[in-house]
Amino acid sequence: MAHTHYDTTEVAEDVDSVLAIHRLQEMVSDGLVAEALTPTYSFMGYVPEPSGLMEDTGPEVAGLLKGEGVDGVVIGTT
C-alpha cells in the first residue's frame, strides 16, 4: 500500500482498513459469498483528472469482471 496524499502507517498495520479481505474471506467461509475473485482490482483514491478512469479504465475492468461472471463487488474507501 502506497499513497502520496495521506499517512499509510496504520494501513500497513491493518490492511482491512482499506480492503476488507479478511472479512471477505470470512464471508466465503460462512457460505455468504461463493468465492472471492483473484485478481483483485483497486483504484487509487486521489485522481485529480478522472476522465481516463471513467472513460477507459473503469469500463475495461467492468468488462473483465463481467467476463469472469462476477455477480457483485465490494467497494471500500480510504
Side-chain angles (χ1 to χ4, degrees):
M1 174 69 192
H3 203 294
T4 58
H5 290 86
Y6 71 91
D7 181 2
T8 61
T9 303
E10 293 194 22
V11 173
E13 294 173 7
D14 181 12
V15 68
D16 287 307
S17 66
V18 293
L19 175 64
I21 190 65
H22 295 107
R23 302 301 76 79
L24 182 58
Q25 290 169 339
E26 288 174 5
M27 292 170 69
V28 170
S29 293
D30 293 343
L32 299 170
V33 173
E35 64 182 323
L37 179 69
T38 301
T40 298
Y41 299 96
S42 177
F43 302 95
M44 184 170 173
Y46 180 74
V47 182
E49 174 45 58
S51 61
L53 179 64
M54 295 183 334
E55 296 168 9
D56 301 315
T57 309
E60 179 182 350
V61 170
L64 293 169
L65 294 170
K66 187 174 181 178
E68 289 287 336
V70 171
D71 294 318
V73 299
V74 175
I75 299 174
T77 61
T78 55

